[in-house]
Amino acid sequence: MAKFLSVFSVRNLLVLSLALNVSLVLRVLVSHDSQNGSFNGFFIEKQNGPQEEAHASKGARLSSSVSSSSSSPLTTAQGDQDRVINLDHGDPTMYENYWQKKGDETTIVIPGWQFMSYFSDPRSLCWFLEPEFAKQVVRLHKVVGNAVTENRHIVVGTGSTQIFQAALYALSPRTEAEPISVVSAAPYYSSYPLITDCLKSGLYKWAGDARSFSKNGPYIELVTSPNNPDGFVRHSVVNRSEGILIHDLAYYWPQYTPISSPANYDLMLFTVSKSTGHAGMRIGWALVKDEDVAKRMTKYIELNTIGVSKDSQLRAATILKVISNSCERSDGEGDSFFEFSYHLMAKRWKQLREAVHQSGLFSVPDFPPQFCNFLNRVFEPQPAFAWVKCEGEIEDCESFLRGKKILTRGGKHFGVSPKYVRISMLDRDKNYDTFVERMSMIQS
């Protein structure tokens, strides 16, 4: 003991005691701040992991979880009024709760030695398309009734963006002296101009709003239906004999819009991200009627990425299979993926309309109700994005909402007035609930 005291002087012991007390104080402060979702002024979103979520929801039906959350009043947690809500991107994280509750039903295991080859089926037109993924794509479309798959070739891509690029490459004539014009009716998807012109291709170029397009000769028109950003059902507007159509049907699913009939077009684009919520898989697909077009699309993907990840395709096949199973065996109490998603979107649109009405500074579109053959009910479309207009003297709605710490995407990116903004409806519950409450409190 004497040796110990000789090594540590009184001064050393005082310093050690001070350090221990400071450490204790910091631990208490960090614990307090983390409960409020903030630390040193930076917001940190606290999320429950799958185990905690599963434990909290054990024994609860999916439909009851939606209805109970819709009946509870919105409350802003301490510190949320200073938090930036980013609803610029359509990141579909609202689907996490459903898939957490599915647990091991959607889990796949791939041994390290399997699926090492480039090739999935060398005899197939799209040689990197996994047969199980193709099978589940066809099955899901038949279950939902949203697209014709007979006499169609399936081309898989790394998300709908690559599929879109492959379609432009495949449809562009090789004998023209100048690039073919690519158009879409405004408001059009904001990434169309960027994706079309990013390579400055000699085959095709962006030519703007289809409604004002007057150039003679061949053209490609992009028809997004339901439309991103405004949610309306779309048809082609140029309608000239030399036109080639691409139908982007990423949102033609029953949680967003009534399924009135199977889409039956020459080239139709779909994506896993908006149909199931699995944006991170980066899987999209096209249903292509013309064999030569499908071959050229496949060639583009071959040149671009030498195929598409088999791991992602197999995981996507599992997810699609689970969705089809849930629809076919649904007991009417919310197990069906599309029933769950429909009710969640309906709840969110009701919240937004109430917030807009309470504020008086904004407006959102009204949609005509239609009968949905899949859900067997009449309802108004409830798009994945809200197309919000700032009324009155507010000219730049994006900047105005940024001042309220709400990040959106302004109308100028979609070829229209900056009085409009696109707002994602697909974020997590906490962010979305904070957003609609904040919108309701914005007064003139």
Side-chain angles (χ1 to χ4, degrees):
M1 186 67 181
K3 290 182 178 181
F4 176 84
L5 292 174
S6 64
V7 173
F8 288 88
S9 65
V10 174
R11 182 178 180 182
N12 293 140
L13 292 174
L14 287 173
V15 171
L16 178 60
S17 175
L18 178 61
L20 289 172
N21 280 288
V22 170
S23 175
L24 178 61
V25 170
L26 286 175
R27 286 172 64 87
V28 171
L29 288 175
V30 169
S31 174
H32 175 73
D33 281 342
S34 66
Q35 291 173 8
N36 290 329
S38 62
F39 178 65
N40 287 347
F42 293 94
F43 178 79
I44 301 173
E45 184 174 356
K46 185 178 180 181
Q47 302 176 29
N48 290 329
Q51 292 181 345
E52 290 84 351
E53 288 284 349
H55 179 74
S57 60
K58 187 176 181 181
R61 299 299 296 174
L62 297 176
S63 59
S64 64
S65 68
V66 173
S67 60
S68 64
S69 62
S70 64
S71 61
S72 60
L74 293 176
T75 56
T76 302
Q78 183 179 354
D80 273 1
Q81 64 269 22
D82 297 323
R83 177 160 61 96
V84 174
I85 304 296
N86 189 347
L87 299 177
D88 181 329
H89 303 288
D91 198 20
T93 49
M94 78 169 194
Y95 294 106
E96 284 177 346
N97 288 338
Y98 180 90
W99 293 114
Q100 285 174 356
K101 291 163 186 171
K102 283 296 178 182
D104 291 342
E105 192 175 346
T106 57
T107 299
I108 64 170
V109 177
I110 303 176
W113 58 270
Q114 286 188 344
F115 308 109
M116 293 179 65
S117 172
Y118 286 113
F119 299 93
S120 295
D121 184 358
R123 299 166 297 177
S124 174
L125 182 151
C126 186
W127 52 266
F128 45 82
L129 171 65
E130 281 296 311
E132 180 62 19
F133 176 68
K135 174 184 174 182
Q136 295 304 328
V137 163
V138 171
R139 181 189 176 198
L140 184 61
H141 282 305
K142 288 184 176 179
V143 167
V144 176
N146 65 338
V148 172
T149 57
E150 290 80 8
N151 302 314
R152 297 297 196 281
H153 302 280
I154 299 175
V155 180
V156 65
T158 304
S160 59
T161 296
Q162 189 184 42
I163 286 289
F164 169 56
Q165 292 172 317
L168 292 180
Y169 173 85
L171 296 174
S172 298
R174 304 298 194 267
T175 58
E176 296 294 322
E178 58 182 31
I180 189 172
S181 297
V182 179
V183 299
S184 186
Y188 43 72
Y189 176 38
S190 58
S191 292
Y192 281 156
L194 303 174
I195 297 170
T196 303
D197 286 343
C198 69
L199 297 179
K200 300 188 182 300
S201 172
L203 298 176
Y204 49 82
K205 67 177 181 179
W206 178 251
D209 186 359
R211 291 191 176 90
S212 59
F213 180 71
S214 59
K215 183 180 179 180
N216 294 325
Y219 64 92
I220 297 173
E221 182 177 355
L222 309 170
V223 182
T224 307
S225 186
N227 189 41
N228 175 359
D230 61 14
F232 286 99
V233 172
R234 284 287 190 88
H235 303 282
S236 59
V237 300
V238 181
N239 296 323
R240 295 207 298 262
S241 59
E242 295 181 272
I244 307 170
L245 301 181
I246 299 175
H247 283 83
D248 186 343
L249 305 179
Y251 303 95
Y252 192 46
W253 298 98
Q255 68 266 51
Y256 305 124
T257 193
I259 304 301
S260 56
S261 62
N264 186 12
Y265 304 107
D266 289 349
L267 204 167
M268 300 179 284
L269 310 184
F270 294 90
T271 175
V272 165
S273 66
K274 298 307 184 291
S275 55
T276 78
H278 292 85
M281 282 187 195
R282 307 311 308 128
I283 290 290
W285 70 92
L287 301 177
V288 188
K289 193 171 186 179
D290 187 283
E291 182 175 341
D292 288 336
V293 172
K295 286 180 178 178
R296 288 196 291 271
M297 290 179 68
T298 299
K299 188 63 179 179
Y300 174 88
I301 297 171
E302 176 186 328
L303 295 171
N304 187 232
T305 53
I306 320 180
V308 177
S309 167
K310 292 185 180 185
D311 294 11
S312 290
Q313 289 187 66
L314 293 170
R315 187 177 176 220
T318 300
I319 294 296
L320 298 189
K321 181 179 180 180
V322 169
I323 290 178
S324 294
N325 288 345
S326 76
C327 296
E328 291 178 343
R329 68 168 184 248
S330 176
D331 54 12
E333 295 184 11
D335 183 63
S336 164
F337 171 77
F338 290 117
E339 280 281 355
F340 172 88
S341 304
Y342 162 81
H343 287 293
L344 183 53
M345 290 301 298
K347 169 204 164 188
R348 290 188 171 200
W349 270 95
K350 180 181 179 182
Q351 288 176 300
L352 178 61
R353 291 188 184 280
E354 290 174 351
V356 165
H357 177 75
Q358 185 171 337
S359 170
L361 283 181
F362 310 100
S363 62
V364 291
D366 292 316
F367 302 98
Q370 283 186 292
F371 182 79
C372 177
N373 293 325
F374 174 78
L375 293 175
N376 197 32
R377 63 174 66 101
V378 175
F379 66 93
E380 297 178 8
Q382 40 200 38
F385 296 100
W387 190 231
V388 176
K389 182 181 180 182
C390 282
E391 301 291 351
E393 298 180 357
I394 303 171
E395 294 299 327
D396 189 339
C397 198
E398 180 182 2
S399 296
F400 175 77
L401 288 175
R402 189 186 300 116
K404 308 297 182 182
K405 298 184 180 179
I406 301 172
L407 303 185
T408 64
R409 191 171 302 184
K412 63 182 180 181
H413 300 289
F414 304 91
V416 296
S417 166
K419 288 183 73 70
Y420 291 89
V421 292
R422 189 196 73 171
I423 297 175
S424 172
M425 302 287 287
L426 305 179
D427 213 310
R428 294 181 178 91
D429 288 343
K430 180 178 180 180
N431 279 346
Y432 187 79
D433 290 348
T434 303
F435 155 69
V436 290
E437 183 172 14
R438 192 176 297 177
M439 285 283 284
S440 70
M441 295 188 295
I442 301 175
Q443 303 292 327
S444 56

